[in-house]
PDB file of all heavy atoms in Angstrom:
ATOM      1  N   LYS A  53      95.678 111.076 111.701  1.00 95.00           N
ATOM      2  CA  LYS A  53      94.846 112.275 111.596  1.00 95.00           C
ATOM      3  C   LYS A  53      94.549 112.567 110.133  1.00 95.00           C
ATOM      4  O   LYS A  53      93.403 112.900 109.781  1.00 95.00           O
ATOM      5  CB  LYS A  53      95.563 113.475 112.245  1.00 95.00           C
ATOM      6  CG  LYS A  53      94.871 114.799 112.072  1.00 95.00           C
ATOM      7  CD  LYS A  53      93.692 114.934 112.995  1.00 95.00           C
ATOM      8  CE  LYS A  53      93.166 116.366 113.021  1.00 95.00           C
ATOM      9  NZ  LYS A  53      92.035 116.597 112.171  1.00 95.00           N
ATOM     10  N   GLY A  54      95.534 112.459 109.275  1.00 93.00           N
ATOM     11  CA  GLY A  54      95.313 112.677 107.850  1.00 93.00           C
ATOM     12  C   GLY A  54      94.319 111.698 107.254  1.00 93.00           C
ATOM     13  O   GLY A  54      93.455 112.075 106.458  1.00 93.00           O
ATOM     14  N   ILE A  55      94.414 110.435 107.647  1.00 95.00           N
ATOM     15  CA  ILE A  55      93.481 109.420 107.168  1.00 95.00           C
ATOM     16  C   ILE A  55      92.075 109.727 107.666  1.00 95.00           C
ATOM     17  O   ILE A  55      91.088 109.642 106.915  1.00 95.00           O
ATOM     18  CB  ILE A  55      93.941 108.006 107.592  1.00 95.00           C
ATOM     19  CG1 ILE A  55      95.219 107.643 106.848  1.00 95.00           C
ATOM     20  CG2 ILE A  55      92.837 106.974 107.340  1.00 95.00           C
ATOM     21  CD1 ILE A  55      95.928 106.399 107.390  1.00 95.00           C
ATOM     22  N   GLU A  56      91.987 110.111 108.931  1.00 96.00           N
ATOM     23  CA  GLU A  56      90.693 110.469 109.514  1.00 96.00           C
ATOM     24  C   GLU A  56      90.079 111.660 108.761  1.00 96.00           C
ATOM     25  O   GLU A  56      88.891 111.641 108.427  1.00 96.00           O
ATOM     26  CB  GLU A  56      90.879 110.822 110.989  1.00 96.00           C
ATOM     27  CG  GLU A  56      89.604 111.145 111.736  1.00 96.00           C
ATOM     28  CD  GLU A  56      89.884 111.488 113.194  1.00 96.00           C
ATOM     29  OE1 GLU A  56      90.654 110.739 113.834  1.00 96.00           O
ATOM     30  OE2 GLU A  56      89.348 112.503 113.656  1.00 96.00           O
ATOM     31  N   ASP A  57      90.888 112.688 108.502  1.00 93.00           N
ATOM     32  CA  ASP A  57      90.413 113.851 107.742  1.00 93.00           C
ATOM     33  C   ASP A  57      89.939 113.436 106.348  1.00 93.00           C
ATOM     34  O   ASP A  57      88.896 113.897 105.884  1.00 93.00           O
ATOM     35  CB  ASP A  57      91.515 114.910 107.628  1.00 93.00           C
ATOM     36  CG  ASP A  57      91.758 115.670 108.916  1.00 93.00           C
ATOM     37  OD1 ASP A  57      90.932 115.546 109.858  1.00 93.00           O
ATOM     38  OD2 ASP A  57      92.778 116.377 108.993  1.00 93.00           O
ATOM     39  N   ALA A  58      90.692 112.592 105.695  1.00 92.00           N
ATOM     40  CA  ALA A  58      90.317 112.135 104.360  1.00 92.00           C
ATOM     41  C   ALA A  58      89.011 111.356 104.408  1.00 92.00           C
ATOM     42  O   ALA A  58      88.138 111.548 103.546  1.00 92.00           O
ATOM     43  CB  ALA A  58      91.431 111.278 103.764  1.00 92.00           C
ATOM     44  N   ASP A  59      88.865 110.496 105.401  1.00 94.00           N
ATOM     45  CA  ASP A  59      87.628 109.721 105.543  1.00 94.00           C
ATOM     46  C   ASP A  59      86.423 110.631 105.756  1.00 94.00           C
ATOM     47  O   ASP A  59      85.306 110.299 105.356  1.00 94.00           O
ATOM     48  CB  ASP A  59      87.743 108.723 106.702  1.00 94.00           C
ATOM     49  CG  ASP A  59      88.666 107.557 106.403  1.00 94.00           C
ATOM     50  OD1 ASP A  59      88.998 107.356 105.205  1.00 94.00           O
ATOM     51  OD2 ASP A  59      89.064 106.861 107.356  1.00 94.00           O
ATOM     52  N   GLN A  60      86.632 111.781 106.398  1.00 95.00           N
ATOM     53  CA  GLN A  60      85.548 112.725 106.669  1.00 95.00           C
ATOM     54  C   GLN A  60      85.375 113.745 105.543  1.00 95.00           C
ATOM     55  O   GLN A  60      84.574 114.674 105.649  1.00 95.00           O
ATOM     56  CB  GLN A  60      85.808 113.447 107.989  1.00 95.00           C
ATOM     57  CG  GLN A  60      85.767 112.540 109.197  1.00 95.00           C
ATOM     58  CD  GLN A  60      86.169 113.246 110.484  1.00 95.00           C
ATOM     59  OE1 GLN A  60      86.435 114.442 110.499  1.00 95.00           O
ATOM     60  NE2 GLN A  60      86.214 112.494 111.569  1.00 95.00           N
ATOM     61  N   GLY A  61      86.148 113.585 104.470  1.00 92.00           N
ATOM     62  CA  GLY A  61      86.021 114.476 103.330  1.00 92.00           C
ATOM     63  C   GLY A  61      86.702 115.823 103.510  1.00 92.00           C
ATOM     64  O   GLY A  61      86.490 116.739 102.721  1.00 92.00           O
ATOM     65  N   LYS A  62      87.518 115.957 104.520  1.00 92.00           N
ATOM     66  CA  LYS A  62      88.241 117.206 104.771  1.00 92.00           C
ATOM     67  C   LYS A  62      89.521 117.220 103.939  1.00 92.00           C
ATOM     68  O   LYS A  62      90.623 117.048 104.443  1.00 92.00           O
ATOM     69  CB  LYS A  62      88.593 117.345 106.255  1.00 92.00           C
ATOM     70  CG  LYS A  62      87.406 117.395 107.184  1.00 92.00           C
ATOM     71  CD  LYS A  62      87.882 117.487 108.626  1.00 92.00           C
ATOM     72  CE  LYS A  62      86.738 117.414 109.602  1.00 92.00           C
ATOM     73  NZ  LYS A  62      87.235 117.377 110.986  1.00 92.00           N
TER      74      LYS A  62
END
Side-chain angles (χ1 to χ4, degrees):
K53 174 77 169 98
I55 292 168
E56 183 180 313
D57 286 348
D59 288 345
Q60 295 174 3
K62 299 178 185 175

